[in-house]
Structures are given as structure tokens and as C-alpha cells.
């Protein structure tokens, strides 16, 4: 069974050589590589166009005239993909030789598995984990499980809240059932949103420890904290709550939600980003009506309880290394 690789690219020329060399080792498992270029100006398109004819795997290049963001970029790639399994992959990565094979094995264990997250390792410090699956909490924090911990930890598969879309395998048929990535998000939190929706529908997200991928991180957007990321992530977090929490859950969780936003504001205030963080929250509140809410149905009632329990457990997990 083969996968379709879907990679959004925005001025990622410096990463593409390693990216394409790494994928050659998986050619027997890859149906196609779909690159969605968001109006790069660094020679990315010229480089991809140059290698397409002689590359051993079919490359489909989608060129946008403007930067449509990560969420809409991957949606374009998913819609044009041919395989049931879609492997969303950042351009700033290098894959171990068995990574895709092990992702396929993991997702095939259960038809209810919506996505499988890889074991992302820091590219420039390969003794440390970058991401071993994502969690989401009562205080609305997203945590990268295992971040900065020893590579030899997290060697067993387990259920996670959501997969990091920088290197995760998804079932296309289930994406079509629950809805694509929300293009309004542009970038950040869109993978938590779709992972949340998958759980509302009764599906699961898993972590695969044997799918090892080396990740540079912030390859297209710069540093961990900057004027671009912070307001977007704050806005999208507001939208995620508005979109996926039914009213009773909003009411019950409001004290924790408020506390979470307050603590994060104080954190960013100390780092000099307090005002732009607040700007993101304000934008999220003022524009929430443009977001299509996840429809509540009684058949999903028990799934909301399961999600709430996960939020509680993940909150306690914030205090664990």
C-alpha cells in the first residue's frame, strides 16, 4: 500500500535537497509527491521544476500566486492526492529508511485510527526528541510530548490528542468525512483542530515510535516566538474553542480557559510580546463568527466526555517531564 506525500513549501529552497534525497529511499511506498508552493521567491519552484523529469517518484507541483498558508496548502494537496493514506510532511525534514513503512503498519492496526504521528527528532541534536505526539489541555495549552528529552524515551506506541501535521499519516476518506483542515486558521493549531474533530467523530490519533523523522523546526516561519506566530496561534486557539466546544463544555471549562490565557499573556508580556498576544486573542473573539462550528449531534455525546477526560489528564501531564 502506497502513500501520497503532501508538502507545503514557502521559500524552503535550502531544505529541498535533503528532503528529496531522503524520500528516494521510500520510493516503493510512495505513490506521488504533491508539493504546494505558496508563492516562493527563493528559487524553490525552479529547483523542483528542474528535478521533476528525472526524479524516480512522480512529483505534482501546485503553484499558488499568493501565500495561502499551511492549512489551505495541505488541503489543496490532499484534494489532488490519489492514495487513501496521505502523509503530510514539512520540507525541513529527513526520514529514516523505515519511517513510512512503520507509519503504515501503525495506522493499519485499527480502522478507527484517523492519524499517526511520527517520532520527530531534532535535526541538529539527534539525541533529543522534538515531538512525540501532541496533547491539548483544560488550560488550552498544546504540549509537544517529549520535547527536548532523550531520544531513547517514548519507545512505545500510545494514543495522543492530535498528530503534528509536520510529519503525520492521515486517512483521506476520514478527512473527507469529518472535514478538511480549516483554511481560516492559515497556520498553527490547525492540526489540533482536526485532531479534536476526529475524536468528536469517534476516531483516534496515535504516536508511532518507530517512524523516526529528523526535523529542523520553524524552517519557514523563523524562531520559536515571533511577531508572526504569536498572534496567529492565539487567534486560532480562540477559534478552536469556539468551533469545537459545545456550550456546556465552554461553561464548565471557562475558569481553566481564562486562567490559561492569563498565564500565557503574562509569559509573553515578560518576553516583550504581550501586546501582540492580546491582539491575537481580540482578533479571535471579534472574528469567531467566520468560523464554521463543528455540528453537535447526540450520537457523539459520549465522545465529548472522553475528550474532556483527556483534557483533564493532559493538564496534569503539563507538570511531567
Amino acid at each position: 500500500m502506497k502513500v501520497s506525500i503532501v508538502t507545503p513549501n514557502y521559500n524552503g529552497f535550502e531544505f529541498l535537497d535533503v528532503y528529496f534525497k531522503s524520500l528516494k529511499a521510500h520510493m516503493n511506498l510512495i505513490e506521488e509527491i504533491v508539493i504546494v508552493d505558496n508563492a516562493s521567491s527563493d528559487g524553490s519552484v525552479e529547483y523542483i521544476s528542474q528535478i521533476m523529469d528525472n526524479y524516480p517518484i512522480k512529483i505534482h507541483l501546485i503553484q499558488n500566486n499568493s501565500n495561502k498558508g499551511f492549512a489551505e496548502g495541505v488541503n489543496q494537496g490532499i484534494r489532488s492526492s490519489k492514495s487513501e493514506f496521505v502523509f503530510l510532511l514539512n520540507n525541513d525534514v529527513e526520514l529514516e529508511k523505515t519511517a513510512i513503512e512503520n507509519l503504515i503498519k501503525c495506522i493499519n492496526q485499527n480502522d478507527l485510527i484517523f492519524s499517526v504521528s511520527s517520532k520527530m527528532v531534532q535535526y541538529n541534536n539527534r539525541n533529543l526528541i522534538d515531538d512525540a505526539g501532541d496533547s491539548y489541555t483544560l488550560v488550552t495549552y498544546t504540549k509537544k510530548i517529549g520535547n527536548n528529552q532523550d531520544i531513547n524515551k517514548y519507545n512505545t506506541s500510545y494514543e495522543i490528542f492530535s498528530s503534528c501535521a509536520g510529519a503525520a499519516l492521515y486517512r483521506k476518506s476520514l478527512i473527507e468525512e469529518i472535514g478538511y483542515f480549516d483554511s481560516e486558521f492559515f497556520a498553527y493549531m490547525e492540526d489540533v483542530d482536526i485532531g479534536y474533530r476526529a475524536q468528536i467523530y469517534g476516531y483516534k490519533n496515535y504516536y508511532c515510535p518507530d517512524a523516526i523523522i529528523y526535523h529542523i523546526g520553524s524552517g519557514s516561519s523563523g524562531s520559536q516566538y515571533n511577531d508572526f506566530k504569536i498572534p496567529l496561534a492565539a487567534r486560532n486557539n480562540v477559534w478552536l474553542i469556539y468551533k469545537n466546544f459545545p456550550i456546556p463544555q465552554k461553561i464548565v471549562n471557562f475558569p481553566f480557559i481564562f486562567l490559561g490565557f492569563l498565564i500565557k499573556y503574562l509569559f509573553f508580556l515578560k518576553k516583550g510580546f504581550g501586546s501582540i498576544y492580546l491582539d491575537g486573542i481580540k482578533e479571535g473573539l471579534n472574528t469567531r463568527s467566520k468560523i464554521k462550528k463543528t455540528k453537535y449531534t447526540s450520537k457523539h455525546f459520549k465522545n465529548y466526555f472522553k475528550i474532556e477526560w483527556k483534557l483533564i489528564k493532559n493538564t496534569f501531564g503539563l507538570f511531567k517531564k
Side-chain angles (χ1 to χ4, degrees):
M1 187 171 292
K2 294 187 176 184
V3 306
S4 291
I5 306 286
V6 172
T7 297
N9 180 72
Y10 176 68
N11 289 337
F13 174 79
E14 62 181 300
F15 310 116
L16 294 179
D17 185 57
V18 171
Y19 166 88
F20 280 112
K21 285 181 178 177
S22 178
L23 289 179
K24 281 184 180 180
H26 304 266
M27 56 185 298
N28 62 317
L29 293 173
I30 299 174
E31 177 76 25
E32 61 187 342
I33 301 172
V34 183
I35 305 289
V36 183
D37 188 82
N38 275 321
S40 295
S41 58
D42 65 343
S44 292
V45 171
E46 292 78 6
Y47 175 83
I48 296 167
S49 299
Q50 184 179 3
I51 70 167
M52 284 176 64
D53 291 338
N54 297 319
Y55 196 74
I57 307 168
K58 181 181 178 182
I59 300 174
H60 178 201
L61 176 62
I62 299 173
Q63 294 180 247
N64 291 326
N65 295 323
S66 62
N67 187 352
K68 296 183 180 295
F70 180 90
E72 179 56 26
V74 296
N75 283 346
Q76 289 177 279
I78 294 168
R79 289 189 181 101
S80 70
S81 65
K82 298 178 180 178
S83 302
E84 162 64 359
F85 293 151
V86 178
F87 187 20
L88 301 189
L89 191 64
N90 281 1
N91 54 14
D92 57 340
V93 297
E94 180 182 352
L95 284 67
E96 283 282 359
K97 292 183 178 180
T98 59
I100 295 178
E101 176 185 354
N102 289 323
L103 285 170
I104 294 172
K105 286 180 181 178
C106 186
I107 204 168
N108 273 329
Q109 290 176 359
N110 191 323
D111 290 341
L112 292 178
I113 297 178
F114 171 70
S115 72
V116 177
S117 193
S118 64
K119 185 175 189 176
M120 300 178 76
V121 176
Q122 296 178 22
Y123 188 90
N124 294 313
N125 190 344
R126 300 192 177 193
N127 293 316
L128 296 179
I129 294 172
D130 176 43
D131 193 322
D134 292 343
S135 70
Y136 191 62
T137 64
L138 283 176
V139 290
T140 72
Y141 291 1
T142 303
K143 179 183 178 181
K144 295 166 65 174
I145 300 170
N147 182 243
N148 287 323
Q149 296 190 44
D150 188 273
I151 184 68
N152 295 310
K153 293 186 176 181
Y154 300 96
N155 286 330
T156 58
S157 181
Y158 48 80
E159 187 176 352
I160 55 178
F161 196 88
S162 61
S163 295
C164 173
L169 191 66
Y170 294 81
R171 292 184 190 270
K172 183 176 180 178
S173 59
L174 297 188
I175 291 176
E176 291 173 339
E177 177 186 345
I178 74 169
Y180 281 69
F181 287 82
D182 194 325
S183 59
E184 293 290 348
F185 279 49
F186 191 83
Y188 308 116
M189 301 296 292
E190 72 290 314
D191 47 5
V192 182
D193 168 59
I194 201 169
Y196 202 117
R197 273 186 281 135
Q199 292 177 82
I200 291 173
Y201 279 75
Y203 299 115
K204 302 175 185 294
N205 304 291
Y206 268 81
Y207 160 71
C208 179
D210 300 318
I212 299 174
I213 293 173
Y214 304 104
H215 181 222
I216 293 176
S218 300
S220 295
S221 58
S223 59
Q224 184 177 6
Y225 303 121
N226 57 53
D227 293 351
F228 175 73
K229 282 186 178 182
I230 292 170
L232 268 182
R235 180 198 69 182
N236 293 350
N237 206 1
V238 172
W239 282 352
L240 187 150
I241 296 164
Y242 171 78
K243 177 177 181 176
N244 295 302
F245 285 44
I247 291 176
Q249 191 179 20
K250 288 187 179 80
I251 294 172
V252 169
N253 290 354
F254 178 77
F256 303 102
I257 295 170
F258 179 81
L259 179 63
F261 278 107
L262 176 62
I263 292 173
K264 189 158 280 191
Y265 167 68
L266 295 174
F267 170 82
F268 284 123
L269 183 65
K270 186 176 180 180
K271 289 186 173 292
F273 296 111
S275 61
I276 64 169
Y277 178 71
L278 283 181
D279 288 342
I281 293 175
K282 292 175 184 176
E283 182 184 354
L285 291 171
N286 293 334
T287 61
R288 65 189 185 278
S289 60
K290 70 191 291 186
I291 298 299
K292 183 179 179 181
K293 298 181 71 172
T294 304
K295 185 178 180 181
Y296 173 84
T297 62
S298 58
K299 69 177 182 179
H300 296 151
F301 184 75
K302 66 178 182 180
N303 295 333
Y304 286 101
F305 278 94
K306 292 179 180 178
I307 292 170
E308 183 70 10
W309 175 238
K310 289 176 185 176
L311 294 176
I312 294 170
K313 289 196 299 180
N314 291 344
T315 303
F316 285 103
L318 288 173
F319 305 101
K320 297 180 181 178
K321 289 187 177 181

